[in-house]
Amino acid sequence: MKMWEDYIRKVVPYVPGEQPQGDLVIKLNTNENPYPPAPGVLKALREMDPDQFRRYPDPSASLLTKALADRYGLPQDQIFVGVGSDDVLGMAFLTFFNSQKPILFPDITYSFYPVWADLFKIPYETPALDHGFCVDPKDYRRENGGIVLANPNAPTGIYLPIDKVEDMVRWNQDSVVIVDEAYIDFGGQSARSLIDRYENLLVVQTFSKSRSMAGMRIGFAMGSQKLIKALQDVKYSYNSYTMDYPSVILGAEAVKDETYFCQTVAKIVKTREEGKRRFTEMGFSCTDSQTNFLFVSHKKAPARAIFEALRQERIYVRYFAAPRLEDHLRVSIGTDEEMETLYRFLEKELPNLSLR
Ligand code: PMP
């Protein structure tokens, strides 16, 4: 080994869900939205001026922050945008978690959190969710260097009521508390309503799920001016032009169409609730997901066997070979037709996959 090899930063990367190619695939493994983005986005895309590609984009992405500010009733300097919420969250870890104290997040949650913590050498502890996969805010009443809460949580889909989120923020006013609301538009109340009262609260959301724009990579954070300024300073110390020209234009368009947004979300919620019924009928247990995915476990058939049988059929769902998760599958909500194909296959195959 050469000396320089010793100096390489060693990390165990996050593993994203598979992106299988080809048309004959039912893809329910990365919580994408099965419906297209708002019609205004497609129109703006057709009308986009490629001559603008010669120029650097607006580093402050102000068209997009303005659209978000109008939509959420906040001043523009309380909004930060990034390349998907992964970029925003990574930047927030780098910006806010700089003490020697461990940050806290649940043992079962978005599996990117420990990856950023390791990358940025942030110590962390992971209080266990209870047997029903719920967060107990009391576990977060101890010294810490910050808190991260995905709400609703992933991959469980469970939502922690807003009064409990507030309890966590109130108890931890010496730390920054990040609430990752990637799925909040599908159920529950956003902690955005608390940011006027708590300067230490950062709420992060994404265009990848409820706005059908995972491929565009747009995420944003809302918080006090102090938090947003700190994020901007770190961003401008790393890469001034995170948001490209198309993302800014098309993101702003997506935010304007509230009617389409509400319709799409309502369709997904309806399909999800029907999914809970269908999975339960087939002998699965199913958490009360408030997201665009279901978290299910069959009482007889092992999750890995179901996952593999579905994959053979070119139906992709997510399986996590991790402690406490290995009996479960996470199934993103597709169109009603896609879900029906999934149910029909499972109804036929489950008897063959079940252990006696
Ligand atoms: N937070 C959670 C809880 C997620 O499940 C995801 C999606 N993988 C993200 C953040 C990141 O999503 P994106 O970068 O597409 O905004």
Side-chain angles (χ1 to χ4, degrees), residues 45-238:
L45 179 63
R46 282 194 207 102
E47 289 167 3
M48 194 167 286
D49 177 8
D51 189 50
Q52 289 296 328
F53 292 3
R54 285 189 303 112
R55 302 188 186 284
Y56 284 104
D58 167 14
S60 69
S62 68
L63 202 73
L64 181 56
T65 54
K66 169 86 171 58
L68 287 166
D70 291 348
R71 165 67 176 78
Y72 293 111
L74 288 167
Q76 249 175 294
D77 59 3
Q78 288 191 247
I79 292 178
F80 175 85
V81 290
V83 187
S85 56
D86 280 342
D87 180 45
V88 175
L89 288 163
M91 203 73 79
F93 271 57
L94 184 59
T95 308
F96 301 119
F97 300 155
N98 272 304
S99 78
Q100 301 303 310
K101 297 178 207 162
I103 63 165
L104 307 176
F105 49 81
D107 64 335
I108 296 174
T109 189
Y110 186 30
S111 50
F112 221 138
Y113 303 156
V115 176
W116 285 311
D118 288 337
L119 177 63
F120 301 133
K121 302 191 190 316
I122 303 163
Y124 64 93
E125 288 170 10
T126 55
L129 296 182
D130 70 15
H131 291 300
F133 295 116
C134 293
V135 171
D136 184 348
K138 286 203 279 307
D139 293 340
Y140 295 79
R141 294 180 186 174
R142 53 166 129 152
E143 263 228 310
N144 64 72
I147 290 176
V148 193
L149 177 77
N151 197 36
N153 199 6
T156 63
I158 294 174
Y159 167 71
L160 183 71
I162 186 91
D163 54 316
K164 295 195 173 174
V165 176
E166 179 164 11
D167 180 277
M168 285 170 73
V169 182
R170 190 181 326 108
W171 268 87
N172 288 286
Q173 296 191 49
D174 287 332
S175 308
V176 171
V177 179
I178 299 176
V179 183
D180 173 358
E181 294 188 336
Y183 302 100
I184 195 72
D185 294 327
F186 302 105
Q189 193 189 328
S190 171
R192 181 180 61 251
S193 56
L194 304 174
I195 61 184
D196 280 350
R197 269 175 287 149
Y198 300 96
E199 251 194 339
N200 60 320
L201 170 64
L202 191 78
V203 177
V204 178
Q205 295 189 4
T206 179
F207 283 47
S208 298
K209 319 292 178 184
S210 53
R211 297 193 187 274
S212 310
M213 291 176 85
M216 241 15 255
R217 312 304 301 127
I218 307 172
F220 60 105
M222 297 170 281
S224 60
Q225 274 142 358
K226 270 192 203 160
L227 292 189
I228 298 303
K229 166 78 168 61
L231 276 170
Q232 303 283 17
D233 288 349
V234 170
K235 176 199 120 146
Y236 283 116
S237 309
Y238 183 72

